[in-house]
């Protein structure tokens, strides 16, 4: 190959590097850097005298490091490697990015209520160490002398989680109900470590509560507005 043709490779590689540094999107930036490195690699190998092995090895190492980070960037933006149940759950976590959801999913414990008399999730006026999400089925809720049902697609214990206080109702998952549980302490620790994720979780719980307050449920399925939920909405609005 003529020298001028080989030299063109390094110019293309440099142009790709420059284009990468002008782009803010990390995914596209790393793809361009990877492409630029490939042209440099060809140049080092096709150099007229002999391959520049030191430069080739160094470039390969840099490309491998870039590929490693690129893989994480792709996982942050896609639902690849999530199970079918996790993908369905992610659809409910509308305020979280796929990457943020992966952190949440690592802390999630999937359970199916197996007790014949139902599994107690929370007890009114008692501390709760978990946040729950009803994945499939309908649970029963008892608050004071009122009883009603809460369908799938709702969080349980969100008021206690956000305000850090005792739960406001007793909730029971009948046999066969599929639900997800998170340790409140672990979730708070993660939210503190990753503030953006914590804000997204708070926004998610706010939307869930707002939907409960505004939805026109029948009396036997509704979660009625009450003083505690009003306090939570006020606290989240600050």
């Amino acid at each position: 190959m003529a020298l001028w043709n080989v030299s063109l490779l390094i110019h293309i590689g440099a142009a790709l590097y420059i284009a990468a540094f002008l782009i803010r999107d990390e995914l596209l930036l790393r793809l361009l850097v990877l492409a630029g490195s490939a042209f440099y690699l060809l140049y080092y190998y096709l150099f007229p005298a002999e391959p520049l092995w030191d430069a080739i090895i160094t470039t390969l190492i840099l490309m491998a490091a870039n590929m490693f980070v690129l893989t994480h960037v792709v996982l942050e933006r896609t639902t690849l490697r999530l199970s079918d149940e996790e993908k369905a759950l992610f659809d409910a976590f509308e305020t979280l990015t796929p990457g943020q959801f992966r952190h949440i999913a690592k802390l999630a414990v999937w359970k199916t209520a197996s007790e014949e008399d139902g599994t107690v999730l929370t007890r009114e006026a008692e501390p709760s160490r978990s946040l729950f999400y009803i994945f499939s089925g309908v649970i029963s809720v008892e608050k004071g002398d009122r009883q009603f049902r809460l369908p799938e697609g709702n969080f349980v214990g969100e008021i206690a989680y956000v305000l850090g206080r005792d739960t406001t109702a007793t909730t029971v998952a009948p046999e066969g109900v599929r639900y997800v549980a998170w340790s409140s302490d672990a979730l708070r620790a993660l939210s503190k470590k990753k503030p953006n994720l914590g804000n997204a979780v708070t926004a998610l719980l706010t939307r869930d509560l707002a939907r409960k307050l505004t939805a026109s449920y029948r009396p036997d399925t509704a979660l009625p507005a009450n003083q505690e939920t009003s306090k939570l909405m006020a606290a989240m609005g600050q």
Side-chain angles (χ1 to χ4, degrees), residues 89-238:
L89 182 62
F90 172 68
D91 290 338
F93 280 65
E94 54 189 359
T95 62
L96 275 67
T97 65
Q100 291 174 330
F101 176 76
R102 289 178 192 279
H103 292 291
I104 296 293
K106 290 179 181 179
L107 300 179
V109 179
W110 290 79
K111 297 183 178 181
T112 301
S114 57
E115 297 182 24
E116 186 175 346
D117 295 331
T119 300
V120 177
L121 303 181
T122 63
R123 293 186 184 276
E124 185 176 1
E126 292 187 8
S128 176
R129 296 183 177 179
S130 300
L131 174 70
F132 303 93
Y133 179 81
I134 309 306
F135 187 73
S136 64
V138 179
I139 69 170
S140 63
V141 182
E142 181 176 348
K143 181 176 177 61
D145 58 352
R146 291 177 297 168
Q147 293 184 344
F148 47 93
R149 296 183 297 161
L150 189 65
E152 62 189 45
N154 285 284
F155 284 94
V156 173
E158 73 276 21
I159 297 177
Y161 172 78
V162 174
L163 296 183
R165 59 188 306 170
D166 294 346
T167 55
T168 60
T170 297
T171 56
V172 180
E175 187 176 8
V177 168
R178 185 75 165 154
Y179 64 95
V180 191
W182 291 269
S183 164
S184 296
D185 290 340
L187 199 54
R188 289 192 183 98
L190 178 62
S191 297
K192 184 177 181 180
K193 181 179 179 181
K194 298 180 179 295
N196 289 338
L197 184 150
N199 292 335
V201 170
T202 299
L204 178 68
L205 297 179
T206 301
R207 292 188 183 188
D208 179 77
L209 182 56
R211 179 171 54 82
K212 289 174 180 174
L213 292 172
T214 58
S216 299
Y217 290 125
R218 297 188 305 274
D220 63 338
T221 61
L223 177 64
N226 54 57
Q227 186 177 7
E228 295 299 333
T229 54
S230 297
K231 287 182 180 179
L232 176 57
M233 291 298 293
M236 289 182 175
Q238 295 178 353

Side-chain angles (χ1 to χ4, degrees), residues 13 16-17 19-21 23 27-37:
L16 290 170
Y17 272 11
F21 296 147
I23 294 175
L27 178 61
L28 186 55
L29 183 154
R30 291 191 175 277
L31 286 173
L32 288 174
V33 169
L34 197 62
S37 297

Side-chain angles (χ1 to χ4, degrees), residues 52-86:
L52 302 177
W53 293 112
D54 288 342
I56 290 173
I57 293 173
T58 300
T59 302
L60 286 173
I61 293 174
L62 292 175
M63 291 177 70
N66 193 37
M67 281 293 298
F68 176 78
V69 178
L70 184 61
T71 301
H72 283 273
V73 173
V74 171
L75 291 177
E76 284 285 321
R77 298 188 180 190
T78 67
T79 57
L80 293 174
R81 295 173 58 185
L82 292 180
S83 67
D84 290 340
E85 280 192 326
E86 288 175 331

